[in-house]
Amino acid sequence: RVNAAPAAARVVLASGRPRVDARRATGAVRISATAADAETTSAPAAEEDGVREFFDAQMVDEAGMLAASTFPIPPADLIAKCKLILAKNNGGEDPSLLASDFKFVAPVVGPLEKERFLAAFQSFKIDEGFPDAKFNYYHFRVDPFEPSRVWYDARFVGTNTGPLIGGTLPATNKKVESPPQSCSMCFNERGECTQLTVGYVMDKQLGNTGGLGGVYGILYAIGYGLPFPEAQPWQKSVQYDLFQRFSGATQELQKFVKGLTGGN
């Protein structure tokens, strides 16, 4: 269940996105650029008001929103619970940390319910294939829009010096450097994890996994990429290529899409 700031503290912007008025939420915190904020910008004095208006309208007051949350577990405690689950091998070593309605969701895999997740996760013993594995978890934070959710990032690195999947895949001695990936855990009011998301790549240009996250990226980097498109680096589809080449009726949209993709 997602808990949000009280309705009286929310303002809907023209874009449809909510913004918390922290003056109502906390009575103390204001959503505005401070003098220090203005001083750190390089905008000329004549443009400062426009910058402040942008800050007021578009920058989220995270502290105010979290202060207005009705979720009973404080952010620091929720982050501690998230780190405990990671220390317990994503709950594999203590399934009681996962709720009965737990689900696992990755970019391709899932949703998987609790028992299927535990069976699949425990069969892929990454520490056997990568004795020097480092997941490099960092940037833990509670989502102000979903105060029951902890976001964190990961940059897996390791060398494949041992076999994987019960010896099915021999060691390759190849090093894996994954791109930064966004992960999250959602919790119920009892502090049990109800959802785990992993493998959402933040910059596909980094690392040597072909832009893939999670296990698919690791397998690709050591030469065991699985034989289906979702487990291979992204390639332009025939339909997308035709759209870019021949869609004269949507020329402006075509220009926009080409701009986003660097003309590729």
Side-chain angles (χ1 to χ4, degrees), residues 137-235:
Y137 297 121
Y138 65 105
H139 197 198
F140 290 81
R141 69 271 187 199
V142 171
D143 190 331
F145 290 95
E146 299 177 67
S148 58
R149 185 175 200 153
V150 177
W151 290 97
Y152 58 98
D153 303 332
R155 286 191 181 220
F156 175 86
V157 294
T159 307
N160 178 217
T161 57
L164 286 166
I165 314 179
T168 305
L169 302 178
T172 64
N173 295 309
K174 293 182 178 179
K175 184 175 182 179
V176 177
E177 295 181 1
S178 294
Q181 299 170 57
S182 181
C183 313
S184 75
M185 291 187 198
C186 297
F187 293 84
N188 58 28
E189 295 186 354
R190 296 186 297 275
E192 300 167 331
C193 181
T194 59
Q195 178 177 278
L196 169 64
T197 67
V198 303
Y200 292 85
V201 171
M202 302 167 76
D203 187 345
K204 65 182 181 182
Q205 304 171 98
L206 303 179
N208 64 349
T209 67
L212 298 167
V215 172
Y216 288 168
I218 292 173
L219 292 176
Y220 176 81
I222 62 175
Y224 292 129
L226 299 177
F228 43 85
E230 293 83 355
Q232 295 290 322
W234 179 86
Q235 291 184 348

Side-chain angles (χ1 to χ4, degrees), residues 4-44:
R10 295 199 298 271
V11 176
V12 177
L13 304 175
S15 64
R17 292 173 53 197
R19 173 169 65 89
V20 166
D21 183 345
R23 289 169 292 186
R24 295 183 184 180
T26 66
V29 184
R30 295 178 59 244
I31 305 176
S32 66
T34 64
D37 291 330
E39 289 173 3
T40 59
T41 65
S42 58

